[in-house]
Amino acid sequence: NAGVTQTPKFQVLKTGQSMTLQCAQDMNHNSMYWYRQDPGMGLRLIYYSASEGTTDKGEVPNGYNVSRLNKREFSLRLESAAPSQTSVYFCASSRDSLYEQYFGPGTRLTVT
Amino acid sequence: DAKTTQPTSMDCAEGRAANLPCNHSTISGNEYVYWYRQIHSQGPQYIIHGLKNNETNEMASLIITEDRKSSTLILPHATLRDTAVYYCIVLMNYGGSQGNLIFGKGTKLSVKP
């Protein structure tokens, strides 16, 4: 049981490049989430998917898009990376939106 | 969702109980108190949550005051591995709708030998 997995672990992009962060969970959870964490700060919600087939914006959605590919997978796409998107990105899942969330190990992204 | 206030940092001796306070004076009747922690550079880890009654699990105890305006997370026998940032979050659970975790800056707990 791997829990929540994220790929890649590290990534360096140049300004304007695009990339997709991948997240998968094997706990049969309905809800999935993407957060970002800037140095010295708490986590901020980017997007979430309460159930397969639905996605909604969180606190800081600008510059990102998401896809709930199936029940297991939830990807985050940066279409045109900017230095302000340098951050650590965490994916999480929960049985339902009312239950505790389980987090992946994070992706450390640097945009130069 | 109600806002929470936590001390910026705390120290605790190894083997002693760590008591982490949280104020949530604007909490409403259907909002739960959740605790997560984040060990350096890792993803946050769920610890415990509660509504009114005190709760205990294998990791910690949660004491909520009768007026629900504050709570305390208790780690009964802190170890060096409990050094982390602890987040107190108040979250509304309402059937069928999304309650979002809002992480503040938390309390940095340092467990010392």
Side-chain angles (χ1 to χ4, degrees), chain A residues 31 33 35 37 40-45 48 50 57-59 90 97-106 108, chain B residues 34 36 38 40-46 49 87 91-105:
Chain A
S31 301
Y33 314 81
Y35 294 86
Q37 185 174 32
M41 304 288 289
L43 280 72
R44 291 183 293 170
L45 183 66
Y48 64 94
K57 295 178 181 179
E59 182 186 355
F90 290 101
S97 60
L98 309 181
Y99 290 84
E100 63 269 20
Q101 295 181 19
Y102 294 84
F103 286 79
R108 282 145 186 81
Chain B
Y34 281 76
Y36 284 75
Q38 188 173 24
H40 180 64
S41 299
Q42 298 179 21
Q45 178 188 23
Y46 166 79
H49 75 280
Y87 296 99
L91 180 65
M92 180 180 293
N93 281 342
Y94 41 103
S97 299
Q98 175 71 25
N100 292 326
L101 295 177
I102 299 176
F103 288 81
K105 293 194 176 180

Side-chain angles (χ1 to χ4, degrees), chain B residues 6-20:
Chain B
Q6 299 177 253
T8 303
S9 63
M10 293 181 64
D11 290 341
C12 177
E14 189 178 19
R16 304 297 293 267
N19 296 281
L20 291 89

Side-chain angles (χ1 to χ4, degrees), chain A residues 19-40:
Chain A
M19 80 162 294
T20 300
L21 281 64
Q22 306 287 353
C23 173
Q25 52 89 9
D26 62 1
M27 296 175 281
N28 200 34
H29 284 170
N30 290 310
S31 301
M32 298 185 73
Y33 314 81
W34 276 106
Y35 294 86
R36 61 176 287 176
Q37 185 174 32
D38 299 326

Side-chain angles (χ1 to χ4, degrees), chain A residues 69-88:
Chain A
L69 304 168
N70 48 54
K71 191 171 186 180
R72 288 188 64 247
E73 298 172 290
F74 188 38
S75 63
L76 179 72
R77 182 159 178 84
L78 286 72
E79 290 292 351
S80 178
S84 60
Q85 294 178 306
T86 293
S87 191
V88 181

Side-chain angles (χ1 to χ4, degrees), chain B residues 4 14 18 48 56 59 61 66 82 88 91:
Chain B
T4 62
E14 189 178 19
I48 198 167
T56 295
M59 287 183 69
S61 295
E66 194 169 339
D82 292 321
C88 169
L91 180 65

Side-chain angles (χ1 to χ4, degrees), chain B residues 65-80:
Chain B
T65 58
E66 194 169 339
D67 63 7
R68 302 186 71 240
K69 292 182 186 296
S70 65
S71 60
T72 301
L73 178 75
I74 301 171
L75 308 177
H77 305 288
T79 71
L80 298 179

Side-chain angles (χ1 to χ4, degrees), chain B residues 10 15 27 32 35-36 43 48 61 63 76 83 86 99-100 108 111:
Chain B
M10 293 181 64
I27 193 170
Y32 285 68
W35 284 85
Y36 284 75
I48 198 167
S61 295
I63 309 297
T83 292
Y86 287 77
N100 292 326
K108 181 168 173 52
V111 180

